[in-house]
């Protein structure tokens, strides 16, 4: 004969449910914080990259500025999705992120090819070097946080956008390398080549998002 008290069992189940709700609410708050931080960083970055890209006439900086614009859109999509999750909303959010990456890839292929074909030489950009170095560090940290939080929430949109942020960090590193090589060794072609690196990762992300 069992001595278990049904009231105690109910209280235990209720307590577990409350703890789970509290844990999920904390994870959602963390997800929002990560997205708002990414959003704010990239809004500032758009201004800095626009100035540096125009002054140096750099394809890589212009492309990275567009990538930051896409990251702003992706963060906005995730904030929208986290505010009211549904399967249909998730699918729309993922398609929007994939479409933005596809547009970026098309732009960079055309622009980098034109620059290489014409032999156009971009100028040096100290501001671009500093900003891309800072952005690489920030995006890698944010991407790690989104990956952990998205996995804990079981949210594929947050995980996918975390990959977008990781790509942003990788692209920042590639652009940084191109800018440094151009400034120190005069390798002008490193700038449009960095643009092609962005194309590769953008195309990779489109495929990953659409097949996820």
């Amino acid at each position: 004969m069992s001595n278990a008290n049904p009231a105690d069992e109910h209280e235990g189940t209720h307590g577990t449910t409350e703890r789970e709700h509290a844990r999920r609410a904390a994870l959602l708050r963390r997800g929002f914080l990560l997205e708002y931080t990414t959003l704010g960083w990239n809004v500032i970055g758009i201004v800095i990259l626009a100035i540096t890209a125009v002054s140096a006439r750099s394809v890589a900086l212009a492309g990275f500025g567009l990538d930051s614009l896409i990251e702003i859109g992706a963060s906005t999509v995730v904030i929208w999705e986290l505010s009211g999750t549904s399967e249909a909303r998730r699918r729309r959010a993922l398609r929007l992120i994939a479409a933005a990456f596809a547009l970026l890839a098309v732009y960079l292929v055309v622009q980098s090819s034109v620059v290489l074909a014409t032999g156009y030489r971009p100028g040096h950009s100290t501001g671009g070097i500093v900003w891309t170095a800072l952005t690489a560090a920030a995006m890698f940290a944010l991407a790690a946080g989104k990956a952990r939080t998205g996995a804990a929430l079981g949210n594929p949109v947050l995980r996918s956008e975390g990959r977008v942020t990781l790509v942003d960090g990788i692209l920042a590193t590639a652009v940084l390398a191109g800018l440094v090589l151009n400034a120190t060794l005069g390798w002008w072609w490193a700038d449009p080549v960095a643009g092609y690196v962005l194309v590769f990762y953008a195309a990779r992300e489109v495929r990953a998002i659409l097949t996820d």
Side-chain angles (χ1 to χ4, degrees), residues 53-124:
V54 170
S55 62
R57 298 187 179 181
S58 166
V59 173
L61 282 172
F64 191 54
L66 288 175
D67 177 71
S68 296
L69 185 60
I70 289 173
E71 182 72 22
I72 289 172
S75 293
T76 303
V77 166
V78 175
I79 290 168
W80 165 66
E81 193 273 340
L82 288 175
S83 300
T85 301
S86 70
E87 195 59 38
R89 179 174 282 198
R90 283 181 174 179
R91 285 196 298 270
R92 287 197 300 271
L94 289 170
R95 284 198 297 269
L96 286 170
I97 294 171
F101 265 115
L103 290 173
L104 174 65
V106 170
Y107 165 79
L108 287 172
V109 165
V110 173
Q111 191 67 12
S112 294
S113 298
V114 168
V115 170
L116 283 173
T118 59
Y120 178 80
R121 298 172 183 267
H124 299 169

